[in-house]
Amino acid sequence: MDFNLSEEQLMIQQAARDFAQNELLPEVIERDRDQKFPTEQVKKMGEMGLLGMMVDPKYGGAGMDSVSYVLAMEEIAKIDASAAVVMSVNNSLVCAGLEKFASEEQKVKYLTPLASGQVIGAFALSEPEAGSDATSQKTTAEDKGDYYLLNGIKNWITNGGTASYYIVIAQTDPEKKHKGINAFIVERGWEGFEIGLKEDKLGIRGSDTHSLIFNNVKVPKENRIGEDGFGFNFAMAVLNGGRIGIASQALGIASGAYELALKYAKTRKAFKTEIINHQAIAFKLADMATQITAARMLCFKAACEKDAGKDISESGAMAKLYASQVAMDTTIEAVQIHGGYGYVKEYHVERMMRDAKITQIYEGTSEIQKIVISRSISK
């Protein structure tokens, strides 16, 4: 793996960094406080090509590589993890799945506006009784000939209240278990489709997390993705790639908190010297820097393997598992280094600590990542 970034990659990184500083940093505290979705900022992200980064330009995407995606995600998440998860879901769970598995007609109709940032999408897998156990789908899609009748509830859906298109996983034939599951493209506004409760969350409060309710929603046959029974395999393949996005989000949260802690330690004085000169603080920062670098390398490795067409189930799981733990550890220490100032919103790190926790939960909990890794290494 080449550790030297190309000129193009460096330009993408700098563009994302400038955008985060100029467009996301102002009012990020207020958006967190008020649970306000970053509507205008997400629109500009679409215009910059950040919502369909790896999609072929013929479908409205930017045609970039996965390492560029990691770089951009890290810079966005340094400032606003809520905006970063909008970007991650649209890129990794929605656009990537459609580009790889959708029909040409589906790509033209749905992928193009999603990748170009005209609209955003959502991925609906989790349910009240089917989170980590994705095989236990209670949402049903009854085959009615030329359409499916969709019924059920989805929970914890990022972009749930703002998306225009939804990829919905549902059970068509319960007797076949995971082989009876299908994936469908559902449009906002279809009869019987209702946006449910908006969640009042600990972190990523600027993101839009809702439940979705389907009551006899007619889904045309042509909106099924892949062959009959392909839905579970589709979901697992999409989540493998999605873990790179969440790992990069976690990396960004960690590196953002570290940079703030380092800056504070260089200016805050105690016992007549800057606190970075005290070994207790210096060693914390040394550990943070080392762990963040290791997390970044794991993200790069998974991204490179993805671009090479390799199986990324193990590398993606490792990146997410480790980066999410680093995000938690780093943000906790960043608050500690700030002392009392770290406990108030003005200094940002308390928000980052709250934002970090979700990276250990969504798109596969840390426990699920360990299952994936252990199965991989035991083959």
Side-chain angles (χ1 to χ4, degrees), residues 4 36 214 228 272 295 297 303 349:
N4 294 311
K36 182 180 178 182
F214 305 95
D228 185 29
K272 299 181 180 180
M297 292 303 101
V349 288

Side-chain angles (χ1 to χ4, degrees), residues 131-153:
S132 294
D133 182 8
T135 60
S136 298
Q137 296 289 302
K138 294 294 188 289
T139 297
T140 59
E142 186 180 354
D143 191 343
K144 292 292 187 179
D146 58 349
Y147 67 91
Y148 288 89
L149 204 59
L150 191 63
N151 284 281
I153 298 174

Side-chain angles (χ1 to χ4, degrees), residues 124 127 137 139-141 150 154 168-172 180-184:
E127 298 182 359
Q137 296 289 302
T139 297
T140 59
L150 191 63
K154 294 294 183 179
V168 181
I169 311 300
Q171 180 66 259
T172 299
I181 294 173
N182 280 303
F184 304 93

Side-chain angles (χ1 to χ4, degrees), residues 38 115 278 325:
H278 298 297
Q325 186 62 56

Side-chain angles (χ1 to χ4, degrees), residues 8-208:
E8 182 182 6
Q9 288 169 336
L10 290 170
M11 289 175 60
I12 293 166
Q13 182 185 48
Q14 187 62 53
R17 182 178 298 156
D18 291 342
F19 175 81
Q21 289 289 333
N22 297 327
E23 301 289 342
L24 291 174
L25 184 56
E27 299 183 356
V28 65
I29 293 173
E30 290 77 13
R31 289 196 300 275
D32 172 76
R33 180 193 65 204
D34 299 335
Q35 301 187 72
K36 182 180 178 182
F37 187 82
T39 303
E40 291 303 315
Q41 292 82 358
V42 169
K43 180 180 178 181
K44 291 178 181 178
M45 288 165 68
E47 294 168 355
M48 290 176 64
L50 294 178
L51 297 184
M53 290 188 67
M54 298 163 288
V55 175
D56 192 309
K58 72 178 181 180
Y59 298 119
M64 300 177 191
D65 65 333
S66 297
V67 172
S68 297
Y69 173 53
V70 170
L71 293 168
M73 274 291 299
E74 179 181 357
E75 295 301 326
I76 298 300
K78 278 183 182 180
I79 304 301
D80 188 350
S82 294
V85 75
V86 175
M87 177 178 165
S88 177
V89 167
N90 208 73
N91 274 283
S92 298
L93 298 187
V94 179
C95 287
L98 291 176
E99 184 171 32
K100 186 171 183 179
F101 298 112
S103 67
E104 183 64 23
E105 293 77 13
Q106 290 170 343
K107 291 178 184 178
V108 171
K109 184 176 182 180
Y110 296 111
L111 178 58
T112 300
L114 285 163
S116 60
Q118 298 172 46
V119 297
I120 61 174
F123 181 79
L125 173 64
S126 295
E127 298 182 359
E129 297 179 15
S132 294
D133 182 8
T135 60
S136 298
Q137 296 289 302
K138 294 294 188 289
T139 297
T140 59
E142 186 180 354
D143 191 343
K144 292 292 187 179
D146 58 349
Y147 67 91
Y148 288 89
L149 204 59
L150 191 63
N151 284 281
I153 298 174
K154 294 294 183 179
N155 272 25
W156 322 116
I157 308 305
T158 303
N159 301 344
T162 50
S164 295
Y165 305 133
Y166 302 76
I167 296 177
V168 181
I169 311 300
Q171 180 66 259
T172 299
D173 190 343
E175 292 185 359
K176 294 181 179 179
K177 300 182 179 179
H178 74 278
K179 293 182 179 180
I181 294 173
N182 280 303
F184 304 93
I185 304 169
V186 176
E187 297 182 22
R188 184 188 186 91
W190 279 358
E191 186 177 355
F193 177 22
E194 179 183 347
I195 310 297
L197 176 70
K198 180 179 180 179
E199 305 295 346
D200 186 3
K201 307 187 297 291
L202 170 73
I204 57 167
R205 289 170 59 81
S207 70
D208 192 20

